[in-house]
Amino acid sequence: MFSIGDFAKHGRVSVRMLRHYDAIGLLRPAHVDPFSGYRSYAGDQLARLNRVIALKDLGFTLTQVQEILDAEIGVDELRGMLRLRRAELEAAIAADEARLKAVEARLRSIEREGSMPSEDVVVKSLPAVRVAELTGTASGYVNEEIGPVVQGLYKELFGALGPITPSGPLIAYYEDDADGERVLIHAAAPIAAETDGSEGFSTVSLAEVPTAATILHRGSMETVLSSYQALARWVDAHGYRANGPAREFYLECPADGDKWVTELQQPIAKA
């Protein structure tokens, strides 16, 4: 089971949105604590959430989304709706292209439902690492909100590093801020050089992670949703819970974003 914050993170939606879906009966929590009122969600509820977001992004109202879901529209019909919307989006302005990729990512997650990527998930420890990092905030876990912040942070970080060369692949990780409504983004680069605090970045020691579930994502970070959700389903299905912020470990970052290789790393502990 996931807390509402963790479920929002894995679903790439806001906590506020989940509360609204609960209030209108579109996506109820799997369990509500009768004393504290805390909401808990099951991993298989990501399937319904994917359909809600995909249909909403296709232009349906939430009332229409509920009617479609109640009619148990199949994946093939959903794909047909997506293709129709794709034709419209391709004729629209360039800014709509990012939204189209997000819908595609939701569809890939829907198509992977029922399969458990046990052969893709590797459980291992993560060594301690000393990093130079900068932090920023985004209003949610949506790619269009996170992407520009991460890119801007790394551009600023590389400028601050100057002659210091990263000693390994770049690392990004995310945390909820104090009120749980915004995302604190850490853009980090492993370093071996000594620092004195005047360089324009923070020097942080990321502790060793004894146990982490990891999965390789191949392709643009705009399509990372299906890999994140596959990892989340595996963690939940195998009796684990998240035990710290997930990390993105950028193994290969060529100019062509579709050829990127990123290891998604989720620290875990037994539930």
Side-chain angles (χ1 to χ4, degrees):
M1 300 287 282
F2 299 107
S3 68
I4 190 171
D6 284 340
F7 191 75
K9 185 185 305 180
H10 293 311
R12 289 298 194 269
V13 296
S14 68
V15 170
R16 183 183 296 110
M17 184 178 292
L18 289 178
R19 288 174 180 152
H20 179 57
Y21 290 166
D22 181 14
I24 64 176
L26 186 56
L27 180 60
R28 299 286 195 188
H31 175 74
V32 178
D33 188 282
F35 300 103
S36 67
Y38 287 161
R39 300 168 172 88
S40 298
Y41 293 80
D44 59 11
Q45 288 186 281
L46 289 168
R48 185 174 178 90
L49 177 61
N50 286 335
R51 284 168 166 76
V52 170
I53 301 302
L55 290 168
K56 184 171 71 71
D57 284 348
L58 288 169
F60 292 97
T61 67
L62 292 182
T63 299
Q64 291 170 328
V65 169
Q66 181 134 25
E67 292 172 353
I68 291 171
L69 294 181
D70 290 344
E72 298 184 354
I73 297 298
V75 171
D76 288 343
E77 192 166 351
L78 285 173
R79 177 173 283 280
M81 295 175 182
L82 178 61
R83 285 174 175 163
L84 176 62
R85 181 59 172 160
R86 178 187 293 134
E88 298 172 352
L89 290 173
E90 287 176 345
I93 60 175
D96 286 335
E97 292 178 359
R99 185 179 179 185
L100 177 61
K101 289 182 179 180
V103 173
E104 287 280 11
R106 293 285 174 181
L107 181 59
R108 275 192 291 276
S109 291
I110 291 171
E111 291 172 335
R112 293 181 66 173
E113 290 166 13
S115 64
M116 189 59 60
S118 58
E119 71 280 3
D120 298 329
V121 175
V122 176
V123 177
K124 62 184 180 181
S125 63
L126 306 178
V129 59
R130 180 170 170 268
V131 300
E133 74 170 36
L134 293 176
T135 60
T137 58
S139 57
Y141 285 95
V142 181
N143 281 339
E144 301 93 290
E145 297 172 348
I146 285 183
V149 177
V150 173
Q151 293 166 14
L153 288 173
Y154 273 118
K155 182 177 181 181
E156 184 180 350
L157 179 60
F158 289 143
L161 284 172
I164 300 176
T165 301
S167 57
L170 303 178
I171 302 170
Y173 60 102
Y174 312 95
E175 299 177 286
D176 296 332
D177 69 359
D179 62 14
E181 298 291 344
R182 295 175 63 82
V183 183
L184 182 62
I185 301 173
H186 302 259
I191 58 171
E194 294 298 323
T195 58
D196 60 16
S198 64
E199 296 84 4
F201 54 76
S202 299
T203 301
V204 178
S205 293
L206 299 181
E208 176 186 5
V209 176
T211 311
T214 68
I215 192 171
L216 286 180
H217 171 71
R218 301 180 185 275
S220 166
M221 295 306 290
E222 293 176 329
T223 65
V224 76
L225 175 66
S226 60
S227 296
Y228 260 123
Q229 291 194 352
L231 185 60
R233 286 195 295 267
W234 186 96
V235 169
D236 191 44
H238 287 77
Y240 291 101
R241 60 176 174 81
N243 191 32
R247 300 179 186 178
E248 294 171 356
F249 195 61
Y250 303 111
L251 296 171
E252 299 178 20
C253 303
D256 184 351
D258 291 333
K259 295 181 180 179
W260 278 34
V261 179
T262 307
E263 185 177 72
L264 308 180
Q265 305 172 333
Q266 176 59 66
I268 55 175
K270 277 295 183 180

